[in-house]
């Protein structure tokens, strides 16, 4: 674990997460600190066996401090509801905790986080994984999969497969925002793929709950 977190030894995982969130709220480890309104640390059940990892805050998330707000968030809710889950049943975070944006036509537009920004923020994600100890991780989109599973991960080819990441069953599926950008047959295909992946993830989630007893 990154030495940044050697001092994060709360008595329980809520305390560890609260300390990490406090560190994130004042973090200046990368330039994404410059334009943020709010950091977006993560939400949900820190005792859930399932962690969802997305890409990073966009405009709405930056404004609210919450992950997956807006249309992509609504679709994520629908995806979870398809297997009878809500946000409160899982823990949701991102690979970067501040909005990546660039000036375009006189206003800030969301952009993908850069490799250096993802690397700078990774200790916080690792700290969350260490604290929560999920049994299953679902990466949402290619950047999350490249960060958590393998730098050479190809989302179209490698999604829907299980990977062992330090003993955690890990899968990646399409990001809800990607699904929303599809049209016609591509939209149907993307939705079917995500629904299939989430069913497999739910089966592992259930298994983890049963084993916990
Ligand atoms: Fe710090 Fe992560 Fe925000 Fe960069 S994105 S400033 S590393 S919290």
């Amino acid at each position: 674990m990154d030495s940044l977190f050697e001092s994060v030894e709360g008595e329980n995982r809520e305390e560890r997460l609260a300390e990490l969130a406090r560190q994130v709220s004042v973090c200046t480890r990368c330039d994404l600190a410059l334009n943020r309104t709010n950091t977006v640390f993560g939400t949900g059940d820190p005792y859930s066996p399932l962690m969802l990892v997305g890409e990073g805050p966009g405009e709405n998330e930056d404004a609210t401090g919450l992950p997956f707000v807006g249309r992509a968030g609504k679709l994520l809710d629908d995806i979870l509801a398809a297997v009878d889950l809500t946000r409160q049943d899982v823990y949701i975070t991102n690979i970067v905790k501040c909005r990546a944006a660039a000036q375009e036509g006189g206003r800030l537009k969301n952009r993908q986080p850069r490799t250096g920004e993802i690397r700078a923020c990774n200790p916080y994600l690792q700290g969350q994984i260490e604290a929560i100890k999920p049994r299953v991780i679902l990466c949402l989109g290619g950047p999350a999969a490249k960060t958590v599973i393998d730098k050479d991960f190809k989302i179209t080819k490698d999604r829907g497969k299980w990977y062992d990441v330090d003993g955690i069953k890990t899968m990646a599926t399409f990001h809800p925002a990607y699904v929303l950008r599809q049209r016609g047959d591509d939209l149907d295909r993307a939705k079917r793929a995500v629904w299939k992946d989430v069913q497999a993830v739910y089966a592992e989630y259930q298994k983890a709950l049963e084993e916990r007893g």
Side-chain angles (χ1 to χ4, degrees):
M1 158 112 45
D2 192 289
S3 59
L4 183 67
F5 298 108
E6 278 170 7
S7 60
V8 183
E9 287 298 335
E11 283 180 5
N12 59 42
R13 61 186 78 182
E14 281 103 331
E15 286 176 17
R16 293 191 66 182
L17 290 169
E19 173 56 19
L20 279 172
R22 191 198 61 74
Q23 293 184 13
V24 162
S25 72
V26 293
C27 178
T28 53
R29 281 166 61 92
C30 82
D31 283 350
L32 296 188
L34 298 174
N35 289 318
R36 72 180 174 220
T37 309
N38 290 295
T39 54
V40 180
F41 182 69
T43 55
D45 178 6
Y47 292 89
S48 175
L50 174 58
M51 181 186 250
L52 269 50
V53 182
E55 185 175 308
E59 187 175 5
N60 297 323
E61 291 80 7
D62 177 66
T64 58
L66 296 168
F68 286 93
V69 180
R71 286 179 70 221
K74 170 75 177 66
L75 180 55
L76 180 62
D77 288 340
D78 291 347
I79 292 164
L80 290 172
V83 286
D84 274 338
L85 289 177
T86 69
R87 285 178 188 236
Q88 286 70 46
D89 297 318
V90 301
Y91 190 87
I92 305 177
T93 189
N94 287 304
I95 53 172
V96 294
K97 316 304 189 203
C98 304
R99 180 190 182 195
Q103 284 287 348
E104 214 182 293
R107 62 179 297 247
L108 276 179
K109 289 264 178 73
N110 295 339
R111 63 161 173 81
Q112 277 203 349
R114 301 193 178 102
T115 309
E117 294 157 353
I118 295 169
R119 199 178 299 134
C121 211
N122 194 46
Y124 297 120
L125 175 62
Q126 294 308 318
Q128 288 172 303
I129 294 172
E130 284 267 324
I132 292 167
K133 299 182 177 54
R135 292 279 301 278
V136 185
I137 293 178
L138 178 63
C139 298
L140 300 168
K146 283 175 192 281
T147 304
V148 176
I149 301 174
D150 188 290
K151 65 178 176 30
D152 296 322
F153 196 94
K154 302 267 187 301
I155 191 75
T156 43
K157 184 165 71 71
D158 300 327
R159 55 137 281 277
K161 300 175 190 167
W162 286 113
Y163 296 84
D164 183 326
V165 179
D166 298 330
I168 303 170
K169 292 200 83 166
T170 305
M171 184 187 281
T173 194
F174 294 126
H175 193 285
Y178 168 86
V179 175
L180 288 172
R181 286 197 299 272
Q182 307 309 302
R183 295 287 174 267
D185 289 350
D186 289 342
L187 177 61
D188 291 342
R189 264 195 295 275
K191 274 189 174 173
R192 264 201 302 276
V194 172
W195 258 249
K196 181 166 169 268
D197 297 345
V198 92
Q199 301 281 347
V201 165
Y202 181 68
E204 287 300 325
Y205 165 88
Q206 280 290 7
K207 212 188 287 176
L209 283 185
E210 281 160 23
E211 283 171 18
R212 193 189 274 176

